[in-house]
Amino acid sequence: MISLPSCKSGIIKPAFLSASILVKAFLLSSFLQAASPCVPVGLQCEHLTNPLGIDAPAPRLSWRLEDSRRGARQMAYQLHVSTDSAGISQGKVSGWQSGKVMSDGQLVAYGGKTLQPFTKYFWRVEVWDKDGKPSLSAVSSFETGLMNSRNWQGFWISDGDNVALKPAPYFRKAFETKKKIKSARAYIAAGGLYELYLNGRKVGNHRLDPMYTRFDRRTLYVTYDVTSQLQTGKNAIGVLLGNGWYNHQSTAVWFFDKAPWRARPTFCLDMRITYEDGSVETITSGKDWKTALSPIVFNSIYTAEHYDARLEQPGWNTANFDDANWKEVILRAAPSTNIVAQAMHPIRNVETIPAKSINKVNDTVFVYDLGRTIAGVSQIRVKGPAGTIIRLKHGERLYKNGRVDQSNIDAHYRPTDTTDPFQTDIFILSGKGDETFMPHFNYKGFQYVDVTSSQPVELTKESLTGYFMHSDVPAAGHVESDNPTLDKIWWATNNSYLSNLFGYPTDCPQREKNGWTGDAHIAIETGLYNFDGITIYEKWLADHRDEQQPNGVLPSIIPTGGWGYEWGNGPDWTSTIAIIPWNIYLFYGDKKILVDNYDNIKRYVDHINEQSPSGLTTWGLGDWVPVKSKSPVEFTSSIYYFTDVSILAKTAKLLGKQADADMYSALATKIKNAFNAKFLTKETGMYGTGLQTELSASLHWGLVPDELKRKVAANLANRVIADNNHIDVGLLGTKTILNALSDNGQADLAYKVASQETFPSWGWWIVNGATTLYENWPIDAKSDISMNHIMFGEIGAWYYKALGGMKPDPAQPGFKNVLLAPHFVTGLDHFEATHESPYGTIRSSWKRVGKSVVYSLTVPPNSTATLSLPGSTVAQLLQAGTYQFDLK
């Protein structure tokens, strides 16, 4: 690398470029406008904005810089943390001050006195810019929760212990406040799902809280600010409990109903009210609560929800409701002794999807089309006589007669009778005018809704609405090009990614809803380039720690009620324990997830080493759902074993565990040598039988000797060309095929493969109407044909890495230094990618203008970029700023 030459005119002519390439770099904003000051913005605590109810004893504080000047950087920082909001605003800090720290770091752990529970802390950061001038951020905040399970005052309560009882229970408590309220917080933990109400209104806009965990080992609680919903005088709290994964009453091949924690749903609640006079009162769950059955006569997270509006009790969650006929609650044991804060982006109804069309089959049958496949729920508005039964059957495709076809998604359902139809809500009308129904404790995967009524009803296109539900992670990336199919693939990939993010990554939102590990690590980069998902993955890796057996073995689906320890697991799938923490570190520059999971990665690797002393392993599923050719399981699983060991060695070095680093580096070398001894023909540069997955996976994961990379890459290119520039891979191969080509001199060929519109390809799905990614390459496959799977979604990351050339630098992670090596591929005239990194917006954009390519890029403040342009043999080191290059 060399430093960028100084330039007063704003035009850079690097002497190291060949004569055939003329490079002009324009510093677009720096010299045309007055320099703006450096201001710290985007303050976050635990990767959340102004979080409530965190339990972290040393929460991570982070910020970005807003500074458009060239070379913008931070020379030093000082953190101020206090419980005095007025004082910190005025610069009078009574709490912790870090002191002036000469560092460009923008992610710092709190280092003051022990944080107290139930306390709001205000904080701001002061930074010194590249010229040594200070600047203060606005004041941000974080609020602690209970911090320790011993601080709970409420009892765990339920309405009984009958796991077969189908109706969902209501709970209520009336109370009175006599003093002026300053603030109030509700803390609620549950086994199952809940909705919390206060004075007749639902608290918050979350869906399906709390997130799914191994309930008997870790139970989550959520904090709400309920100040505005409380009133001086009479109040009432209402809680509605659902089964979720805690009391699974539907039956399927994964034995959800046999989970060791299974019980009737239960909850514990503390509502802590602080009055203006400084006194505190806590309203708790206990024996003084009352309970009754609700109109939700059945609910299953897996199948559907049934609601009988005739059983409604208006005002059940208000203070003046007469609960004389309700019964007493019972006390229950907590699901676990480990009750911790749910510090993550919640599930919400994120997007409203109006029905695109309605097909009225007759007066009692209507089929709705949302125009796209989603995960979520439908809401119907209908009017009819009391007792009218409305059935809403959800699916992803239609039969030829126009009715909903579920044959692609109900294959693993094992109903014991006809009372629980798959993905079919049942709504029984009360007969009291216009009525509305939307499930409380379920979600589905669907595009079509087949509505049938036991009596004629009038429905219009506007009578049904879809809601796209998922973990509400902020968008972190965007791509666009002049190829509409390419853009639609990116959009469909994101749709499938979000459809499979419900507090943990899943494989599909209909047939399974399982946290399949292999699907998740294949899609990790796609997820992180496009969305700010760290809070979801930190929670999910905690699920891994809960599920890992003492010998290091992990199940293939996480969380699990017990299924997956003897099928589907192995390094090709459960490498999530290593690959996901490493990628979080690369994208965020945050070591915590590596620290938290280090011993778990080590136990996992040690188990494989004990089972496979030769360095090769046959443990795994292999290249799942291939087009036509499948690589040997020993080949692909040994590659992932090598990858895990390599990550462990790098992590050990990073964490200062040099003995471990040396030991696992040696093990990685042993595996690599054993792998190449068995599968590599050095004379020809051929791996195995020369399949696309064999060649691309060896290249991508770093097993090819340096001197043979060119030859192996040529073999891969020849194989792809022989396959008519189409893919012939399965799940594992989709991770590597495009990357291996692009990273080894075959970017044009990679683009040909990625942009294909004939079978087999991603574009083949798109031109046939897909709005999500599928589970199988043939659209008419007889099995494994969910129409909303993320497992082939690596292409969404490849856009950023190859066409945009944007990668994190392992030596300076979190995009502290951005590696930029864009490929101006033949057949594409324009491409732009942006990513919101921890330091700000990275932009990589290029466009063909005549015989030239105009390339522009933005490097965020306090970071740098290493730029490698086509035709150049030397990389440039760029400071923060915006640049433009004309390449001829």
Side-chain angles (χ1 to χ4, degrees):
M1 296 187 297
I2 67 170
S3 297
L4 189 70
S6 61
C7 177
K8 293 181 180 179
S9 67
I11 301 175
I12 301 171
K13 298 180 179 178
F16 54 80
L17 291 178
S18 64
S20 62
I21 301 178
L22 176 62
V23 180
K24 296 186 294 180
F26 297 95
L27 307 180
L28 295 180
S29 59
S30 307
F31 298 102
L32 298 178
Q33 302 175 13
S36 60
C38 175
V39 180
V41 297
L43 276 64
Q44 290 192 323
C45 174
E46 289 296 289
H47 299 285
L48 296 166
T49 302
N50 298 328
L52 286 179
I54 64 168
D55 281 346
R60 294 159 290 176
L61 307 175
S62 59
W63 61 93
R64 293 179 286 107
L65 300 183
E66 194 172 85
D67 190 339
S68 62
R69 295 172 296 174
R70 180 191 175 199
R73 61 174 302 199
Q74 173 187 296
M75 304 300 292
Y77 70 84
Q78 181 169 235
L79 285 165
H80 310 265
V81 182
S82 175
T83 57
D84 180 4
S85 60
I88 198 170
S89 298
Q90 298 167 10
K92 302 173 183 177
V93 181
S94 57
W96 176 61
Q97 291 192 73
S98 65
K100 185 176 181 180
V101 181
M102 301 305 296
S103 168
D104 60 1
Q106 293 176 212
L107 176 68
V108 181
Y110 170 81
K113 293 181 180 180
T114 301
L115 297 175
Q116 298 303 303
F118 315 117
T119 304
K120 189 167 189 174
Y121 291 87
F122 302 90
W123 71 283
R124 66 193 311 183
V125 63
E126 185 175 14
V127 302
W128 283 261
D129 69 6
K130 68 187 186 74
D131 299 321
K133 295 179 180 179
S135 178
L136 271 170
S137 73
V139 176
S140 190
S141 69
F142 62 89
E143 186 172 308
T144 55
L146 286 97
M147 299 294 286
N148 191 302
S149 294
R150 292 192 298 270
N151 289 323
W152 284 93
Q153 297 184 37
F155 291 89
W156 284 84
I157 62 174
S158 185
D159 67 333
D161 54 13
N162 183 2
V163 297
L165 182 61
K166 291 185 177 181
Y170 278 150
F171 300 84
R172 61 172 272 112
K173 175 182 171 60
F175 63 97
E176 190 170 350
T177 59
K178 296 182 179 179
K179 294 186 286 188
K180 190 173 182 181
I181 298 167
K182 179 181 179 181
S183 65
R185 301 289 185 265
Y187 308 93
I188 180 168
L193 300 172
Y194 69 83
E195 287 186 350
L196 175 63
Y197 296 85
L198 188 55
N199 294 324
R201 290 191 294 128
K202 184 173 183 272
V203 175
N205 61 1
H206 298 189
R207 300 296 312 277
L208 305 180
D209 271 340
M211 299 301 99
Y212 181 22
T213 60
R214 175 70 192 246
F215 292 103
D216 54 351
R217 294 177 183 169
R218 192 166 101 264
T219 309
L220 301 181
Y221 77 89
V222 184
T223 303
Y224 301 93
D225 181 350
V226 295
T227 308
S228 64
Q229 286 182 244
L230 271 180
Q231 56 200 22
T232 302
K234 293 182 178 180
N235 292 271
I237 310 171
V239 173
L240 173 63
L241 286 184
N243 287 320
W245 296 101
Y246 186 66
N247 182 35
H248 210 286
Q249 295 177 323
S250 301
T251 48
V253 297
W254 303 279
F255 304 110
F256 302 135
D257 58 313
K258 305 296 184 185
W261 59 70
R262 186 179 173 189
R264 180 73 171 164
T266 180
F267 77 97
C268 181
L269 178 140
D270 283 357
M271 183 177 293
R272 197 169 191 270
I273 305 170
T274 302
Y275 294 105
E276 289 285 359
D277 64 5
S279 62
V280 174
E281 180 181 12
T282 304
I283 309 298
T284 66
S285 51
K287 287 292 286 183
D288 55 346
W289 284 57
K290 304 288 286 292
T291 184
L293 297 178
S294 77
I296 300 175
V297 293
F298 175 78
N299 70 99
S300 167
I301 187 75
Y302 181 62
T303 57
E305 187 164 303
H306 306 168
Y307 187 93
D308 189 343
R310 297 171 300 179
L311 303 177
E312 290 177 342
Q313 300 187 52
W316 71 273
N317 46 19
T318 60
N320 293 323
F321 178 79
D322 182 3
D323 59 12
N325 293 325
W326 287 35
K327 68 175 187 176
E328 290 187 355
V329 301
I330 68 165
L331 301 184
R332 283 269 297 276
S336 78
T337 58
N338 184 24
I339 304 171
V340 298
Q342 179 175 296
M344 59 194 296
H345 292 290
I347 297 169
R348 292 189 174 99
N349 285 2
V350 178
E351 189 176 353
T352 302
I353 314 293
K356 184 179 180 181
S357 66
I358 179 174
N359 173 23
K360 181 178 179 180
V361 179
N362 54 48
D363 287 343
T364 61
V365 178
F366 308 81
V367 179
Y368 287 86
D369 179 3
L370 298 186
R372 55 183 286 200
T373 303
I374 65 169
V377 293
S378 63
Q379 177 177 276
I380 191 167
R381 289 184 294 106
V382 61
K383 183 178 181 179
T388 302
I389 301 173
I390 307 294
R391 293 174 178 263
L392 298 97
K393 182 179 181 180
H394 299 70
E396 295 178 333
R397 61 187 189 182
L398 300 176
Y399 289 113
K400 290 182 180 179
N401 67 0
R403 304 296 296 277
V404 165
D405 171 13
Q406 292 184 338
S407 62
N408 67 316
I409 56 175
D410 63 1
H412 300 315
Y413 183 38
R414 298 292 183 269
T416 57
D417 56 37
T418 60
T419 63
D420 181 15
F422 189 67
Q423 287 212 150
T424 302
D425 294 326
I426 299 175
F427 179 31
I428 304 174
L429 303 186
S430 68
K432 298 176 182 178
D434 288 331
E435 302 180 59
T436 301
F437 168 73
M438 181 179 72
H440 298 257
F441 301 123
N442 167 267
Y443 75 96
K444 309 168 187 71
F446 67 102
Q447 175 174 336
Y448 304 98
V449 185
D450 192 317
V451 179
T452 61
S453 175
S454 62
Q455 300 188 53
V457 292
E458 292 185 9
L459 294 176
T460 67
K461 184 164 68 78
E462 290 70 33
S463 298
L464 185 134
T465 302
Y467 289 96
F468 190 2
M469 293 170 60
H470 54 78
S471 292
D472 194 7
V473 287
H478 182 76
V479 303
E480 61 180 56
S481 74
D482 68 314
N483 182 334
T485 298
L486 205 68
D487 291 359
K488 289 177 182 178
I489 293 171
W490 174 76
W491 182 69
T493 301
N494 284 351
N495 287 339
S496 279
Y497 177 79
L498 293 173
S499 293
N500 287 288
L501 201 66
F502 278 76
Y504 65 105
T506 67
D507 61 329
C508 57
Q510 9 66 6
R511 191 185 66 215
E512 301 190 28
K513 299 182 172 76
N514 280 320
W516 278 99
T517 47
D519 303 48
H521 74 68
I522 293 296
I524 181 64
E525 289 178 281
T526 288
L528 295 181
Y529 273 112
N530 288 293
F531 301 98
D532 178 12
I534 184 172
T535 62
I536 311 299
Y537 289 111
E538 287 189 326
K539 177 267 180 188
W540 197 47
L541 265 294
D543 297 334
H544 279 61
R545 299 194 294 273
D546 289 341
E547 298 287 8
Q548 189 174 36
Q549 295 183 341
N551 65 0
V553 172
L554 288 159
S556 51
I557 60 173
I558 297 174
T560 179
W563 191 94
Y565 285 99
E566 60 178 77
W567 191 88
N569 56 341
D572 53 353
W573 249 244
T574 43
S575 284
T576 44
I577 192 64
I579 290 174
I580 287 182
W582 185 250
N583 275 279
I584 292 291
Y585 169 68
L586 291 180
F587 274 75
Y588 288 88
D590 189 339
K591 291 190 292 188
K592 187 176 186 301
I593 197 168
L594 291 173
V595 173
D596 290 346
N597 294 283
Y598 180 78
D599 290 341
N600 305 86
I601 303 170
K602 188 175 177 181
R603 265 195 287 151
Y604 182 67
V605 162
D606 288 348
H607 175 76
I608 304 174
N609 190 28
E610 292 167 3
Q611 298 297 313
S612 306
S614 70
L616 301 178
T617 177
T618 58
W619 185 26
L621 277 181
D623 201 16
W624 195 247
V625 193
V627 175
K628 62 179 186 291
S629 305
K630 184 175 181 179
S631 305
V633 171
E634 184 180 35
F635 190 101
T636 50
S637 286
S638 297
I639 285 179
Y640 276 94
Y641 176 32
F642 168 78
T643 301
D644 296 341
V645 174
S646 299
I647 289 172
L648 180 56
K650 289 183 286 189
T651 301
K653 183 176 182 181
L654 182 70
L655 302 183
K657 302 175 184 291
Q658 193 56 49
D660 280 1
D662 293 342
M663 179 174 68
Y664 291 110
S665 292
L667 179 57
T669 299
K670 173 185 173 181
I671 298 167
K672 182 176 182 178
N673 290 340
F675 180 84
N676 285 329
K678 180 161 187 177
F679 297 111
L680 171 63
T681 303
K682 292 184 177 179
E683 294 75 16
T684 61
M686 189 65 70
Y687 275 92
T689 58
L691 300 179
Q692 288 187 24
T693 294
E694 291 173 327
L695 294 165
S696 65
S698 302
L699 281 166
H700 179 75
W701 293 114
L703 287 105
V704 180
D706 290 343
E707 66 275 11
L708 291 178
K709 286 182 178 178
R710 189 181 297 272
K711 187 175 289 187
V712 175
N715 286 332
L716 175 60
N718 290 335
R719 177 60 194 239
V720 171
I721 293 169
D723 289 323
N724 197 27
N725 298 332
H726 283 68
I727 51 171
D728 180 21
V729 294
L731 178 147
L732 303 179
T734 54
K735 178 70 182 182
T736 60
I737 182 64
L738 299 178
N739 293 308
L741 289 168
S742 299
D743 292 342
N744 292 278
Q746 301 290 340
D748 282 355
L749 181 56
Y751 175 70
K752 284 183 181 179
V753 173
S755 59
Q756 289 288 353
E757 296 182 0
T758 54
F759 175 82
S761 66
W762 295 272
W764 167 246
W765 295 333
I766 297 300
V767 298
N768 280 278
T771 58
T772 46
L773 302 188
Y774 294 171
E775 184 186 12
N776 212 324
W777 301 108
I779 295 172
D780 58 351
K782 301 305 179 185
S783 63
D784 298 319
I785 188 55
S786 150
M787 300 173 77
N788 201 349
H789 251 66
I790 189 55
M791 70 181 193
F792 294 135
E794 164 63 14
I795 189 171
W798 175 80
Y799 287 172
Y800 292 87
K801 292 186 287 184
L803 302 180
M806 185 190 302
K807 296 179 182 179
D809 184 348
Q812 298 182 66
F815 295 97
K816 177 64 174 171
N817 185 60
V818 188
L819 300 180
L820 286 169
H823 294 289
F824 311 139
V825 294
T826 302
L828 194 64
D829 291 333
H830 168 64
F831 182 83
E832 179 172 319
T834 58
H835 174 66
E836 298 301 321
S837 78
Y839 295 92
T841 303
I842 305 166
R843 184 176 65 93
S844 178
S845 176
W846 54 269
K847 186 174 184 178
R848 297 187 192 280
V849 180
K851 295 183 178 180
S852 299
V853 173
V854 177
Y855 176 61
S856 59
L857 65 102
T858 299
V859 182
N862 206 33
S863 62
T864 56
T866 302
L867 174 63
S868 300
L869 288 171
S872 169
T873 57
V874 182
Q876 306 173 53
L877 179 62
L878 303 181
Q879 297 175 321
T882 299
Y883 303 82
Q884 181 172 297
F885 297 80
D886 286 349
L887 307 173
K888 294 185 178 180

